């Protein structure tokens, strides 16, 4: 029996995340035995998860309940990045100069969420931008698959801005688990090997935000949000250079 059309990338990611039933897992294992090329790729995904667990042994995983009769392909593990961010939230709030949305009164809870998300984006950047082996889960050579997969997991249509005119080419992307839920991370690299990352996560309050700048040592970041998504652009580059990139990204995301 040909199983090729029955195995999707979402199913494979759910398999790696341990989100399939015992029966479905056995089915995927059989299929992988028949498809050694994909089995090698899945082994790389599992090795990446193992590396993260080794670096952050206190990670806790939280699964969402799947709908009856379906695999839980939209659930995502809650990353240890949340734990790191929680310890730094108050420092971020104090050092950032305020996270003020358009309008005079910003709820304190939103301020904390914003600061936490930016710190999570910075931490994720530090973890993956320095990775010489598996900086992304899906490479830019499979951009259509990357966009489709991340859009499905985050629950909003994703766009990978083109920054080649600024000297940065898309490396690829990955799925993150942050305090607000699944998030997409796109990674870019210039000719010198410098990497920047763009994180996007759903935002349900529908309030437009101005650009906000955050500095964390050598790392700079800009945060903003539109009606549906919150964004953080992060890089170990000068503020002015990152600001120009953030403006370009914003223009592309809001075009049309």
């Amino acid at each position: 029996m040909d199983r090729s059309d029955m195995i999707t990338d979402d199913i494979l990611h759910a398999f790696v995340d341990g989100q399939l039933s015992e029966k479905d897992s056995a089915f995927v294992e059989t299929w992988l035995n028949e498809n050694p090329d994909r089995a090698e790729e899945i082994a790389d995904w599992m090795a990446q998860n193992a590396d993260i667990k080794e670096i952050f042994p206190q990670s806790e995983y939280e699964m969402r309940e799947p709908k009856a009769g379906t695999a839980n392909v939209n659930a995502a593990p809650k990353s240890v990045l949340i734990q790191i961010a929680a310890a730094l939230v108050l420092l971020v709030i104090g050092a950032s100069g305020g996270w003020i949305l358009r309008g005079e009164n910003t709820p304190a809870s939103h301020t904390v969420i914003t600061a936490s998300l930016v710190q999570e984006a910075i931490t994720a950047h530090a973890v993956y931008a320095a990775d010489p082996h598996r900086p992304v889960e899906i490479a830019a050579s499979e951009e259509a698959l990357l966009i489709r997969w991340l859009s499905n997991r985050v629950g909003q249509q994703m766009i990978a801005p083109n920054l080649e005119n600024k000297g940065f080419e898309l490396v690829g992307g990955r799925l993150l688990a942050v305090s607000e839920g699944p998030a997409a991370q796109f990674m870019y690299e210039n000719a010198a090997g410098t990497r920047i990352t763009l994180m996007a996560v759903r935002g349900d309050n529908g309030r437009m935000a101005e650009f906000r700048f955050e500095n964390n040592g050598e790392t700079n970041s800009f945060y903003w949000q539109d009606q549906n998504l919150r964004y953080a652009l992060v890089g170990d580059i000068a503020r002015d250079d990152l600001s120009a990139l953030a403006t370009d990204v914003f223009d592309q995301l809001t075009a049309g």
Side-chain angles (χ1 to χ4, degrees):
M1 176 181 177
D2 184 6
R3 298 181 174 91
S4 298
D5 59 349
M6 302 177 66
I7 300 293
T8 67
D9 282 282
D10 284 336
I11 292 295
L12 292 175
H13 280 285
F15 173 76
V16 172
D17 293 341
Q19 297 168 12
L20 296 180
S21 67
E22 184 175 339
K23 180 179 178 180
D24 289 339
S25 292
F27 179 82
V28 173
E29 288 174 2
T30 300
W31 183 84
L32 289 173
N33 287 333
E34 299 169 354
N35 295 268
D37 291 342
R38 292 309 303 271
E40 183 177 353
E41 181 182 2
I42 298 308
D44 286 341
W45 293 356
M46 290 180 167
Q48 182 183 59
N49 287 350
D51 289 344
I52 294 173
K53 288 182 181 180
E54 183 177 349
I55 296 171
F56 302 114
Q58 300 302 316
S59 297
E60 295 181 357
Y61 291 82
E62 180 178 279
M63 304 298 181
R64 292 192 181 92
E65 290 297 325
K67 295 180 180 179
T70 63
N72 187 5
V73 298
N74 288 319
K78 183 159 285 189
S79 169
V80 71
L81 302 180
I82 299 171
Q83 301 173 27
I84 297 172
L88 297 172
V89 165
L90 293 179
L91 293 177
V92 173
I93 294 173
S96 65
W99 298 89
I100 304 174
L101 296 174
R102 290 173 180 163
E104 297 180 358
N105 298 315
T106 301
S109 60
H110 186 87
T111 299
V112 173
I113 290 172
T114 300
S116 176
L117 284 173
V118 172
Q119 188 56 53
E120 287 175 301
I122 292 172
T123 305
H125 173 84
V127 170
Y128 295 115
D131 190 334
H133 302 298
R134 290 184 295 273
V136 297
E137 287 181 288
I138 299 179
S141 59
E142 297 183 277
E143 184 175 346
L145 170 62
L146 172 66
I147 296 298
R148 185 169 64 251
W149 175 57
L150 290 177
S151 297
N152 179 57
R153 298 300 292 268
V154 176
Q156 290 289 333
Q157 180 60 47
M158 295 288 109
I159 297 174
N162 187 325
L163 300 178
E164 292 182 2
N165 64 326
K166 293 290 193 296
F168 283 86
E169 293 189 0
L170 181 68
V171 177
R174 68 170 55 249
L175 183 72
L176 302 175
V178 301
S179 55
E180 289 296 283
Q185 183 193 64
F186 295 101
M187 184 177 295
Y188 298 82
E189 185 176 72
N190 66 11
T194 300
R195 291 171 173 172
I196 61 172
T197 56
L198 174 68
M199 188 182 86
V201 63
R202 289 186 66 173
D204 295 328
N205 62 12
R207 300 180 65 186
M208 299 292 287
E210 298 173 351
F211 281 109
R212 292 298 169 190
F213 173 76
E214 166 69 17
N215 172 262
N216 189 334
E218 296 182 357
T219 303
N220 291 320
S221 64
F222 279 92
Y223 164 88
W224 71 96
Q225 72 178 65
D226 61 21
Q227 294 294 334
N228 299 310
L229 292 163
R230 295 175 181 144
Y231 299 94
L233 184 67
V234 185
D236 300 327
I237 61 177
R239 174 174 179 167
D240 289 346
D241 294 336
L242 191 65
S243 176
L245 287 164
T247 300
D248 194 351
V249 169
F250 177 84
D251 289 343
Q252 292 185 48
L253 294 173
T254 55

